[in-house]
Each structure stands twice: as structure tokens, then as C-alpha cells.
Amino acid sequence: MKVLVVGSGGREHALCWALAASPLLTKLWCAPGNAGIAEVAECIPLGAEEVAALVGFARGSRVDLVVVGPEAPLTLGLADACAAAGLRCFGPSAAAAMLEGSKTFTKQVADAARAPTAAWERFTDAAAARAYVRAQGAPIVVKADGLAAGKGVVVAESVAEAEAALAEIMESRVHGEAGASVVIEECLLGQEVSFFALCDGDTALPLGAAQDHKRVGDGDTGPNTGGMGAYSPPPVFTQALQDQVMAEIIQPCLAEMARRGTPFRGVLFAGLMLTATGPKLIEFNVRFGDPECQALMVRLKSDLLPALVAACDGKLREVTLAWEALHSLVVVMAANGYPGAYAKGSEIRGLERAAQVPGVQVFHAGTQRREDGTLVATGGRVLGITATGATLQQARAAAYQAVDAVDWPGGFCRRDIAHRALG
Ligand code: AMP
Ligand code: GLY
């Protein structure tokens, strides 16, 4: 099979790496890819959001499967455009991708499916929103309704902080039109887990869970990022909890999407809070998490390619997935300054030595190979040093041994990935 992966991050490198191992694969392209992806796929110079050009390429090259990494092309209708062109695409339609594009939509689906989630209200009027916050008290969560590059959420510890967030989102419109309406939610307490399920519109197949580290600094301090590290499986997320999440959240929401005429095909990423009264849905994403995907892919024993094809073809019921009895852990190395302003072009050395540590895979995110062969950083999150081990401790030791082999003065990482599980 000929496959085109869309995206350029560590998630897409992990997907390409897993697909490249498939005996069914005959050709792998990635658009636009990065220097690491170029080692397992042919990178083509098309942006992930160039929907028409991507479809044109896929048709011209007789691609059998398009695998979409990030959410932006999905919300722009890449899966719909593929369907119209007769191309198989792993990823939801624009209508189903609303599960990530609109927080109100997600809450409505969850409520209709009776899936446990935080109590919520939506406001388009700032004065009414302020009055609600004062009546509810703190802690309370304020969210811009639309896509805000992962930055539109404020978990406010005080009413004053919530009011300041409302002023920024609704009045100053710091996230643009995403702030035309806000969702105000009950603050959930507990451990957060990222849970993934392959979906074919009808059937959902659990892929398991990972725990991310959103803050930039050790001990969960500093500003939010796209994710600084992950590990899988999270010890707190038992099989019983997974069964409960499948039965109470994933399957009912999938059924509700089908009932609405917008069946969900692709990977459904449920952000969960494990509260004292059971797992509750924080949000859905319509794609793999980054870096959670890296942590999952190195544990997957089965061939990824036929599973993705089955999700597209409505045949997931016929699929069972096998997993290695291993723990995995990803340490993200980011450019100094991230998630604020950071320099591009700093040179990275030592990746060959890092990759020699047993059990380690080095996934690239923001990297580029210069003509002279040097590897340079071109993004905020740059590398995902991923390791497996018989125990989580062993996976962590291997990952940091590999991190220490990387010679990159322009970058940094957190030193405490998996601290919630390991202390
Ligand atoms: P989101 O952009 O929806 O992923 O939210 C960003 C982060 O805010 C989540 O990963 C949670 O850590 C936190 N968060 C969102 N909603 C809630 C909530 N209702 N209660 C507590 N924390 C929340
Ligand atoms: N790591 C969280 C995300 O991909 O949204």
C-alpha cells in the first residue's frame, strides 16, 4: 500500500516509523515531514494545511491511505476533500472534527450521550459571564469556545482571575474570534489522563492511555506547552477505568455522533480527569496527542497500517491489537525560550549516540537537515527522546541516558517526566 502522512511533528514521525515497519507498505510519503521523518519516508514540500494540493498529490500518486496527524487540516475539511476524490483518509470529516474545533459542541454531544463531564454554561455576553463566575465562585475554568492553539483555557484559582480571563478572551479578543463565546466550567480535581480510541464511525477500539506534562518546568511549573513529555501506560489508569471510559464516554459519544449524521472516523483522544467520583471528560481531540502518540507507538506490537485502514473502511470490529508488555516514556527536548520566543537554526549533535541506548527511539519534531548535513532546530518542540523498558523506571533511565547523549546547547528538557507515577 502507498501511504501519505500529513504533518511535521514528533507524532507524525512516530506514525511514519510505525507504518514503515508494515509488511503491507510499498511507499511512504510525508507532507511536509522533518529531518527525522526523511529517514523513513519521502518528504514532499506541501504544507499540512494545503488541502487541495495534498489531495492532488494523493490522487496523482495513487495513494491508498492518507493519514492526517494534526487537527488543522481536519477542521479545514481534508478528510472530506479526500472522500470527494475517492481517497481513503484516516481522520474525521470537518463536521466530526467539531469535537475539537468547538468546546460547546463537545459539551452538547457529551450531555446528549450522558457522558460524565464538568458542569458548564456558554456565554456570548461578557457581563452575563462575569455574573455567572461571581455566583459560582472559584476555582472555575474559563475557555474560549473556538480553536485557540491550545491556549484558550484558564483554570482560575480566584474570581478575580476568572474575570481577568473573561476580559482578555471576550473583550480584548486575545484569541481572536475564538473568544466570541466562552464556556465556563466546574473545576475538576484529580489526575489527568490522555485516552485514545480508534473509531470507524460505529465501533471503537481502545488504544490505551498516556499521561502528558503540559507545563514547561519541572514540578509542573511555568506556562503551558504542547506537551513536554509522556509515559504509557499510566499506573493510575487501570483496566477497570478503561472499561468504564469506553462504556460511559467513548461508545455513547460515538453513537451520538453517528445519530447526528456525522459519524466519527479516526482517532478519538479523550482528555480525562480521574476524579474522586470517577473519570470525567475534559475535552475531545480528533487526532493523536503529541507526545502521547510516540509513547503509544513504541508499545504497539501489531501492524498499525491494517488497523488504520479498518478504521477508514468501517471494519474495526474485525481488528484486535496486541501490545508489548513494556512501559514507555518520552522526554521532549525544546528550543531555549519555548513556549515563548525561541531561536531557530541551532545545531544538534549526538543523536546517533542517543539512538544507541537500548530501547531508545529518537523522534524528530522541529528539525531540518542543512545541505552540508548538519541537523538544526527549526521549531519549539524539537525532539522526542522515547524509550521502552520492562518497568517505567527503566524506561525513564534509558530516555534520560539518551537525552544526556544529545549535544544541543540550544535546547532544554524537563528532568522529571513521570514524576506523578515515580515521584
Ligand atoms: P484544554 O485546552 O481543553 O485541553 O484544557 C487545557 C487544560 O486545562 C486541560 O488539560 C486541563 O488541565 C485544564 N482543564 C480544562 N478543563 C478543566 C476543568 N473543567 N477542570 C479542571 N481542569 C480543566
Ligand atoms: N499533548 C497534548 C496534545 O497533543 O494535545
Side-chain angles (χ1 to χ4, degrees):
M1 295 188 95
K2 298 187 198 177
V3 179
L4 168 65
V5 173
V6 176
S8 62
R11 165 182 51 209
E12 289 76 22
H13 190 183
L15 291 171
C16 285
W17 173 82
L19 291 167
S22 172
L24 301 173
L25 186 85
T26 53
K27 175 75 192 177
L28 184 60
W29 290 277
C30 186
N34 62 40
I37 292 174
E39 291 168 16
V40 290
E42 182 181 338
C43 294
I44 55 172
L46 291 176
E49 294 170 32
E50 293 181 52
V51 171
L54 290 167
V55 171
F57 174 84
R59 279 189 81 164
S61 306
R62 299 175 182 276
V63 163
D64 299 295
L65 174 68
V66 179
V67 179
V68 187
E71 68 278 13
L74 295 167
T75 50
L76 290 172
L78 178 54
D80 308 82
C82 284
L87 292 161
R88 191 191 273 124
C89 178
F90 179 79
S93 66
M98 283 274 284
L99 281 178
E100 179 157 357
S102 161
K103 301 205 187 298
T104 304
F105 179 76
T106 301
K107 296 302 267 187
Q108 288 167 342
V109 168
D111 283 355
R114 299 183 188 278
T117 178
W120 66 288
E121 291 282 344
R122 174 175 181 264
F123 296 92
T124 50
D125 177 66
R130 264 194 292 272
Y132 180 79
V133 160
R134 285 185 200 133
Q136 294 293 312
I140 195 156
V141 181
V142 177
K143 302 184 173 185
D145 195 12
L147 274 180
K151 299 198 178 89
V153 175
V154 177
V155 180
E157 301 297 339
S158 66
V159 169
E161 197 186 331
E163 289 193 36
L166 288 173
E168 286 208 335
I169 295 171
M170 300 189 86
E171 288 162 355
S172 309
R173 292 287 170 96
V174 292
H175 307 298
E177 281 312 295
S181 62
V182 293
V183 169
I184 302 180
E185 284 184 15
E186 164 198 6
C187 187
L188 301 173
L189 299 175
Q191 283 209 42
E192 216 175 319
V193 161
S194 304
F195 178 73
F196 300 87
L198 283 184
C199 301
D200 68 3
D202 187 39
T203 299
L205 188 66
L207 289 173
Q211 264 181 307
D212 190 10
H213 299 65
K214 294 225 161 116
R215 303 292 189 117
V216 76
D218 284 5
D220 297 322
T221 54
N224 263 321
T225 69
M228 294 300 292
Y231 57 101
S232 177
V236 290
F237 197 67
T238 59
Q239 181 66 44
L241 280 175
Q242 171 167 310
D243 294 345
Q244 192 180 351
V245 167
M246 287 300 290
E248 293 182 1
I249 298 176
I250 303 295
Q251 270 146 2
C253 289
L254 193 59
E256 173 62 17
M257 291 298 285
R259 193 193 63 76
R260 289 169 177 241
T262 52
F264 185 90
R265 293 188 196 90
V267 59
L268 193 55
F269 166 174
L272 304 171
M273 193 71 88
L274 306 183
T275 75
T277 56
K280 293 195 178 171
L281 177 71
I282 299 172
E283 58 160 358
F284 278 129
N285 296 305
V286 299
R287 52 171 174 83
F288 279 105
D290 188 341
E292 290 95 324
C293 183
Q294 294 86 310
L296 291 180
M297 287 304 122
V298 294
R299 290 182 43 241
L300 180 62
K301 199 170 179 177
S302 301
D303 189 346
L304 178 66
L305 180 48
L308 299 186
V309 169
C312 298
D313 293 351
K315 292 186 174 160
L316 268 186
R317 206 170 277 120
E318 297 166 18
V319 176
T320 45
L321 291 175
W323 298 87
E324 305 284 359
L326 292 172
H327 295 258
S328 62
L329 185 140
V330 191
V331 179
V332 170
M333 299 187 78
N336 293 337
Y338 175 80
Y342 54 82
K344 290 186 182 180
S346 57
E347 189 176 342
I348 305 165
R349 293 196 205 91
L351 292 192
E352 299 75 18
R353 263 196 308 145
Q356 277 163 14
V357 177
V360 166
Q361 285 299 328
V362 175
F363 293 121
H364 293 223
T367 63
Q368 218 169 58
R369 184 80 57 191
R370 285 219 189 104
E371 299 230 328
D372 64 4
T374 55
L375 186 72
V376 295
T378 56
R381 292 190 295 169
V382 174
L383 297 167
I385 310 294
T386 308
T388 52
T391 64
L392 186 54
Q393 283 88 341
Q394 285 171 16
R396 175 155 81 169
Y400 279 111
Q401 193 188 332
V403 163
D404 291 336
V406 177
D407 174 11
W408 180 32
F412 74 99
C413 67
R414 277 181 65 161
R415 302 296 315 191
D416 67 342
I417 300 305
H419 69 93
R420 283 186 221 93
L422 297 177

